[in-house]
Amino acid sequence: MQRPLPTGRRLLRGKRRPIWIQGFTIMALLLAMGQRAQAAPESANEYSVKAAFLFHFAQLTTWPPRIFTSTGSPLVFCTIGKDPFGGVLDSAVENKIVQGHPAKVLHLKQVIGLEGCHLLFIGTQEMPRMPAIIAALHGLPVLTVGEADEFLKQGGMIDFRSQDDRLRFDVNLEAAQSSNLAFSSTLLSLARTITR
Amino acid sequence: MQASASSTGLSSLMHRPAFWRVIFSSAALLLLFCGALPAQDSSDLTDRSLQDLMNMKVYSASRYSQLVSEAPASVTVISRDQIERGGYRTLADILRSVRGFYISYDRQYSYLGVRGFSDSGDYNTRVLLMVDGHRMNDAIYEQAMIGTEFVLDVGTIERVEITRGPSSSLYGTNAVFAVVNVITRNASDVSGLEVEGGAGTLNTYRGRITYGGTVAGVNALLSGAFYGSRGNKRLYYPEYDSPVTNNGIARDVDDDQAWNLLATLSIRGFRFQAAYSDRDKGDPTGSFADVFNNPWNRERDARGYLDLRYERTIGETTLMARTYYDRYVNDGQFLQDYSPDPPVFNRDFGRGESWGAEFQAISTLRNRYKVVSGFEYRNDFRQEMLNYNVDPLSYYTKSDHPSFVAAPYIEAEIPLTSRLSLAPSLRADYNPRVNWMVSPRAALNYRFTDKTRAKLIYGESFRSPNSYELYYLEGQQPLHAERIATWEGDFEQELDSHLSASLSAFYNKTNHFIAMGEDDFWGSQFVNEGQQKLAGVETEMRGHWLNGTAATLSYSNDFEQRDVSGAVPENSPKHIAKLYLSVPVFHQKLFATMDAQYLSHRMTIHDERVSSYVVVNLTLFGKQIRKDLDLTFRVDNLFNKRYSDPAAQQHLQNAIPQDGRTVSGKLLWRFGGK
């Protein structure tokens, strides 16, 4: 690559200028902006935002009508294993009405009683149990939402993805349809990718 | 953006610094207004629309976001999304878009300038390049290869993490001005088969096949790619304009061929990675006193490695152990001009081989203090360099001086108050060539609010003289290590959910700077020259909107530039401005992206000016235009701007003219998987 050089390095005689003013103008502007903008609270804890997403997902999903025995029967959000929301989901959706049904949150410890859920969140920690969960659901109309890389491949329906520090989600439409769930076009139009 | 593509008036405007001043001022004003808007306040996030939520920044414990805001340095991450939309084809393309970075090309290698430093004749030795944390600077020249000679195809890159400033306190030698860590894609990201093919002007072709999936319980990513370009049919160098040297015309000697392979296999805590690349490049510049316009003048670089690591978390501690083997071969052949005597066929051969091992523990003490500690051993057991004339056989260089490095290191993160934290780190490298080198770094990180952060960093880094500098040239005297002290202040401000701004100021002082001495030709030597000082400010504004629009505007100003003699260093622009603007023109399917770079004038080693330039590139990226098909169309140097990069000591030329407008396109098919 590098062989002996034909000429020696020459010393340079360049002009030195005083410190450039423009850099400081921009610095001053930035600092000024910094002072103005401190109030805007547009970032939030990951799981607070995910909880709000779940609320919207529930609003934008159609369950088969027969699974709600009456208009007063609750729409149940479930987590499994250790609650990754740390109670945030409970406070976000309780006392709210989703599609005419009061929202309720259940924290399941084991893969038992999944048929009582309408929406089930499966955190990254619970991915080893994913095959057991999918087997237990066996086509029941339960909307599964996850956050792991392989979630959709393992049969999940909506998968949270993080992109540039913002939340996105991918949708596995095939899995939802085979469980008799339908998504609104609003939900689908916001999905990053859709597997059909 | 479409307006700029069609308006030629804008192109001439963009060449004026005043234009950029207006752009910056208006952007700054715009930001002022945005900052002044009343903030929406709602504690109940369910009241927000899904669109609003998608636009909200989330902070989590993930490594990725920690890296940027809490890293004890100024960090930039270039995501795969940006790479795809920008139509970047090499790592050099990616780095060209980074604030404060600039690329020079001499039709052999691409050179990375950071914070006003890109010494002519330096082979990127003050930048540490890594792939998934594996050191890529080779064992002989310690060169970070970033052009078509880089070990990976861009299609296998997930993201590029750029850490500015000194990192010798973690990584040892070469981590002086920046660390560039290239993260490869996961098998699950690819999920199936990807086939890519592309073509462009200068008879350029490329292809790639990548498979990602699970085979017998092993997550596997396998990829192979090739690149071939005939290059410029005709290049004119006035310095060679004489009937003996084809009137300065180099015809059909700019070709570039490269291929590479990558395999990553992971199962449970184990990960095995193998990578290999081979690049063969013709030299049209007649460098190193070669016979001009001769297709025999070629450089070949082959780089490969094997890396096996194991990671396990026990309680609060994550343990990592890894071992690796590295190989680099450089094979050059040249017809050297001894006129009026007949030319002589010269060969230049370098072979570096290393193996190494590293142990690392990351633990949290008392639920409060994060401590990373480790030990690295690397044995560069072969550092062979040969330079000889073939007939009659005579050696100029014949050396092989193995060396090794042993280095313990420790880094901690200590919360002092709820807002203030201290991150000290220290590494001690033992290398028989320079004995012990101790590199400390300390960073104070202050969080004013969730939106506003400031960092103050002091660090010392070093660079050992490499095998090339110590043993290549005849009569070379011993060299000391180069020592660099850096002060840096960073200020980061999120303006609202769409906009953020950052400001860095730095001061670098290099002692015992290693460079070519003043002696002529064969008697030339490397020497520790003295002191070099560089100081500057860098500002950046980033915007990211829900409809998919992304923009980054940056400006860097090096207000203090002094080389060993007190003059402005060569190849060091005072001003650099960059604009990256990507807009969805059709839903989330078709994106138009403009990336533009402005560099102010630079000096050459012959004390002449290379004029300033603005280069604008335009890319159209169709994402899943059909279900499994992506389409990219890119125009480089849209306005056909003529510009040059400063040449180095080995060139007769003062500066090397760069390519004008070129056009390329590529298609990507996905089979199977998601």
Side-chain angles (χ1 to χ4, degrees):
Chain A
M1 166 188 332
Q2 295 91 345
R3 283 164 300 135
L5 305 173
T7 56
R9 173 193 166 86
R10 292 201 198 165
L11 291 178
L12 302 178
R13 293 275 169 265
K15 279 175 281 179
R16 286 225 312 122
R17 283 189 199 161
I19 289 166
W20 211 54
I21 297 157
Q22 215 168 323
F24 287 95
T25 317
I26 286 174
M27 192 178 354
L29 273 170
L30 273 167
L31 286 169
M33 279 156 15
Q35 293 309 311
R36 300 303 292 269
Q38 287 187 4
E42 282 302 318
S43 69
N45 180 280
E46 178 181 348
Y47 283 96
S48 308
V49 183
K50 281 183 174 171
F53 265 92
L54 293 190
F55 178 75
H56 283 282
F57 291 158
Q59 299 271 29
L60 300 169
T61 303
T62 310
W63 277 267
R66 58 183 160 78
I67 67 152
F68 296 103
T69 46
S70 71
T71 44
S73 63
L75 192 143
V76 185
F77 292 75
C78 297
T79 66
I80 187 155
K82 190 180 173 225
D83 175 19
F85 293 92
V88 174
L89 181 62
D90 303 62
S91 54
V93 306
E94 277 191 340
N95 302 321
K96 291 220 166 60
I97 304 292
V98 183
Q99 298 189 36
H101 303 278
K104 193 182 152 191
V105 180
L106 283 182
H107 299 290
L108 306 174
K109 290 283 160 249
Q110 301 296 327
V111 191
I112 299 167
L114 298 183
E115 60 281 357
C117 304
H118 296 103
L119 186 154
L120 174 63
F121 182 83
I122 301 146
T124 312
Q125 301 277 324
E126 302 304 315
M127 283 310 281
R129 288 207 254 183
M130 188 66 184
I133 294 168
I134 291 297
L137 287 173
H138 191 65
L140 284 171
V142 177
L143 172 61
T144 51
V145 182
E147 55 182 2
D149 288 344
E150 296 273 316
F151 185 71
L152 294 190
K153 282 193 90 179
Q154 298 201 23
M157 296 171 196
I158 299 183
D159 193 13
F160 282 117
R161 308 279 61 200
S162 162
Q163 192 174 325
D164 299 330
D165 288 342
R166 288 165 174 84
L167 285 175
R168 297 284 178 270
F169 58 91
D170 294 342
V171 171
N172 183 347
L173 201 56
E174 194 190 341
Q177 283 166 346
S178 63
S179 298
N180 295 314
L181 295 176
F183 295 132
S184 82
S185 58
T186 312
L187 190 148
L188 292 177
S189 69
L190 292 171
R192 199 181 60 165
T193 65
I194 298 170
T195 313
R196 288 173 205 277
Chain B
M1 161 169 290
Q2 285 122 332
S4 76
S6 58
S7 144
T8 46
L10 192 55
S11 87
S12 62
L13 201 57
M14 293 180 88
H15 300 155
R16 294 188 204 152
F19 171 78
W20 291 94
R21 236 170 272 160
V22 170
I23 292 263
F24 276 106
S25 324
S26 37
L29 278 173
L30 182 75
L31 292 180
L32 266 172
F33 283 117
C34 296
L37 286 175
Q40 259 183 303
D41 187 28
S42 167
S43 52
D44 190 352
L45 293 171
T46 57
D47 289 348
R48 303 291 192 87
S49 73
L50 212 43
Q51 284 92 334
D52 270 3
L53 293 171
M54 289 179 81
N55 221 2
M56 198 170 269
K57 269 207 168 184
V58 293
Y59 49 84
S60 64
S62 85
R63 261 194 216 155
Y64 171 78
S65 48
Q66 237 176 12
L67 182 77
V68 178
S69 63
E70 280 161 34
S74 157
V75 171
T76 297
V77 177
I78 306 289
S79 67
R80 176 145 190 82
D81 185 52
Q82 275 165 283
I83 295 171
E84 284 181 335
R85 289 206 213 172
Y88 304 136
R89 294 144 309 171
T90 62
L91 179 60
D93 279 347
I94 296 172
L95 297 175
R96 204 190 296 273
S97 72
V98 172
R99 143 163 70 102
F101 282 23
Y102 56 103
I103 304 289
S104 314
Y105 178 56
D106 67 356
R107 303 203 174 273
Q108 284 289 279
Y109 302 103
S110 296
Y111 305 96
L112 175 61
V114 183
R115 290 185 162 171
F117 179 89
S118 184
D119 208 39
S120 296
D122 172 46
Y123 290 89
N124 293 343
T125 56
R126 278 100 174 167
V127 173
L128 177 65
L129 175 64
M130 301 195 287
V131 171
D132 291 337
H134 182 100
R135 166 184 283 265
M136 291 309 301
N137 298 57
D138 66 83
I140 299 176
Y141 305 99
E142 299 187 350
Q143 181 180 3
M145 295 194 282
I146 56 171
T148 51
E149 65 274 19
F150 178 53
V151 74
L152 301 177
D153 185 272
V154 165
T156 57
I157 298 177
E158 176 61 30
R159 63 177 190 275
V160 180
E161 300 172 349
I162 294 128
T163 310
R164 293 176 188 79
S167 292
S168 285
S169 63
L170 296 175
Y171 304 112
T173 188
N174 304 113
V176 173
F177 293 126
V179 175
V180 175
N181 190 11
V182 178
I183 310 296
T184 62
R185 293 168 72 189
N186 275 326
S188 60
D189 291 332
V190 178
S191 177
L193 196 65
E194 279 185 10
V195 179
E196 187 182 297
T201 42
L202 308 179
N203 274 8
T204 304
Y205 299 94
R206 59 171 59 239
R208 172 173 68 87
I209 297 186
T210 303
Y211 169 80
T214 309
V215 183
V218 178
N219 280 321
L221 180 116
L222 306 168
S223 187
F226 74 88
Y227 169 85
S229 175
R230 176 172 160 179
N232 289 277
K233 282 183 194 162
R234 181 185 180 279
L235 288 164
Y236 171 68
Y237 297 105
E239 295 84 352
Y240 285 96
D241 197 344
S242 141
V244 223
T245 46
N246 201 29
N247 300 313
I249 295 162
R251 206 174 280 283
D252 271 329
V253 282
D254 183 34
D255 65 298
D256 187 347
Q257 276 105 34
W259 58 270
N260 58 61
L261 297 171
L262 171 72
T264 312
L265 308 174
S266 47
I267 181 165
R268 294 187 193 103
F270 285 97
R271 200 203 69 155
F272 171 74
Q273 189 168 66
Y276 189 81
S277 69
D278 190 329
R279 197 225 18 185
D280 192 359
K281 178 78 180 74
D283 178 17
T285 64
S287 61
F288 295 103
D290 291 339
V291 174
F292 182 74
N293 185 36
N294 192 298
W296 283 102
N297 301 327
R298 313 193 61 78
E299 297 267 19
R300 201 173 144 197
D301 295 273
R303 181 78 175 88
Y305 67 86
L306 310 171
D307 186 304
L308 176 70
R309 65 183 68 190
Y310 177 68
E311 236 179 79
R312 191 172 170 187
T313 304
I314 304 164
E316 294 286 274
T317 305
T318 302
L319 298 170
M320 189 275 283
R322 71 178 183 119
T323 180
Y324 54 85
Y325 165 76
D326 271 87
R327 181 182 166 88
Y328 168 67
V329 173
N330 162 248
D331 192 355
Q333 48 180 4
F334 316 92
L335 204 57
Q336 266 190 310
D337 198 347
Y338 279 75
S339 54
D341 293 335
V344 173
F345 193 60
N346 178 277
R347 283 198 71 173
D348 195 59
F349 181 83
R351 181 163 52 152
E353 283 183 286
S354 315
W355 76 270
E358 184 177 3
F359 301 93
Q360 190 183 70
I362 304 174
S363 41
T364 310
L365 302 177
R366 292 191 197 169
N367 271 330
R368 212 173 135 78
Y369 309 104
K370 201 179 135 199
V371 180
V372 180
S373 54
F375 178 79
E376 186 181 3
Y377 174 79
R378 186 178 75 251
N379 191 330
D380 299 321
F381 61 88
R382 194 187 305 280
Q383 304 205 329
E384 189 180 357
M385 289 181 291
L386 296 175
N387 183 283
Y388 57 97
N389 284 351
V390 175
D391 189 23
L393 186 68
S394 67
Y395 282 92
Y396 292 107
T397 304
K398 193 176 185 180
S399 92
D400 187 359
H401 296 271
S403 181
F404 71 91
V405 174
Y409 59 89
I410 186 160
E411 182 185 29
E413 213 178 283
I414 304 163
L416 299 174
T417 70
S418 61
R419 293 176 180 281
L420 185 68
S421 69
L422 173 70
S425 54
L426 186 74
R427 173 164 160 146
D429 282 74
Y430 180 78
N431 172 339
R433 288 174 184 165
V434 293
N435 283 323
W436 286 98
M437 299 300 297
V438 178
S439 315
R441 181 174 75 183
L444 275 174
N445 193 332
Y446 188 75
R447 191 169 56 83
F448 292 92
T449 68
D450 284 346
K451 312 249 148 210
T452 312
R453 269 173 193 280
K455 296 173 194 172
L456 183 66
I457 303 149
Y458 173 76
E460 289 176 20
S461 52
F462 77 99
R463 190 174 74 85
S464 308
N466 58 43
S467 205
Y468 165 59
E469 289 158 338
L470 282 174
Y471 305 113
Y472 191 89
L473 299 172
E474 214 173 301
Q476 175 67 49
Q477 297 299 306
L479 293 167
H480 305 290
E482 205 172 282
R483 297 242 53 169
I484 301 93
T486 302
W487 281 99
E488 181 172 337
D490 292 327
F491 180 77
E492 284 163 33
Q493 174 70 52
E494 274 180 47
L495 301 163
D496 66 1
S497 57
H498 312 291
L499 284 166
S500 60
S502 64
L503 174 80
S504 305
F506 65 90
Y507 173 69
N508 280 325
K509 190 173 84 179
T510 306
N511 283 323
H512 304 304
F513 182 72
I514 299 172
M516 269 272 155
E518 283 179 83
D519 298 343
D520 267 346
F521 208 36
W522 306 111
S524 182
Q525 284 193 1
F526 285 99
V527 289
N528 286 111
E529 275 197 332
Q531 212 173 64
Q532 175 160 314
K533 289 176 184 170
L534 287 163
V537 290
E538 298 178 330
T539 65
E540 183 173 79
M541 283 165 240
R542 289 176 302 275
H544 203 287
W545 290 269
L546 182 63
N547 69 357
T549 302
T552 306
L553 184 67
S554 72
Y555 169 73
S556 317
N557 181 335
D558 289 349
F559 55 76
E560 173 91 350
Q561 302 168 291
R562 273 199 272 188
D563 75 356
V564 287
S565 64
V568 174
E570 63 236 32
N571 198 6
S572 177
K574 195 176 181 71
H575 313 290
I576 302 174
K578 295 183 179 188
L579 176 65
Y580 171 95
L581 177 67
S582 182
V583 288
V585 286
F586 180 71
H587 297 165
Q588 296 290 314
K589 291 274 185 202
L590 186 65
F591 298 90
T593 303
M594 179 179 86
D595 66 295
Q597 291 95 31
Y598 163 77
L599 255 69
S600 65
H601 76 267
R602 291 171 285 173
M603 303 305 289
T604 72
I605 47 170
H606 305 300
D607 208 9
E608 284 177 44
R609 275 168 76 119
V610 169
S611 57
S612 63
Y613 69 82
V614 174
V615 164
V616 179
N617 309 307
L618 184 71
T619 303
L620 288 175
F621 171 58
K623 192 182 175 73
Q624 297 177 345
I625 47 165
R626 288 186 50 190
K627 195 174 165 227
D628 299 316
L629 191 66
D630 288 358
L631 175 74
T632 308
F633 177 77
R634 178 175 161 107
V635 186
D636 276 85
N637 197 352
L638 184 65
F639 300 114
N640 205 19
K641 171 72 184 169
R642 287 169 187 273
Y643 69 106
S644 299
D645 288 331
Q649 290 89 341
Q650 65 265 32
H651 298 109
L652 187 66
Q653 295 91 331
N654 190 45
I656 308 290
Q658 301 296 305
D659 288 345
R661 185 189 303 119
T662 57
V663 173
S664 60
K666 75 177 186 198
L667 282 168
L668 169 70
W669 290 269
R670 290 191 189 81
F671 300 98
K674 280 194 265 194

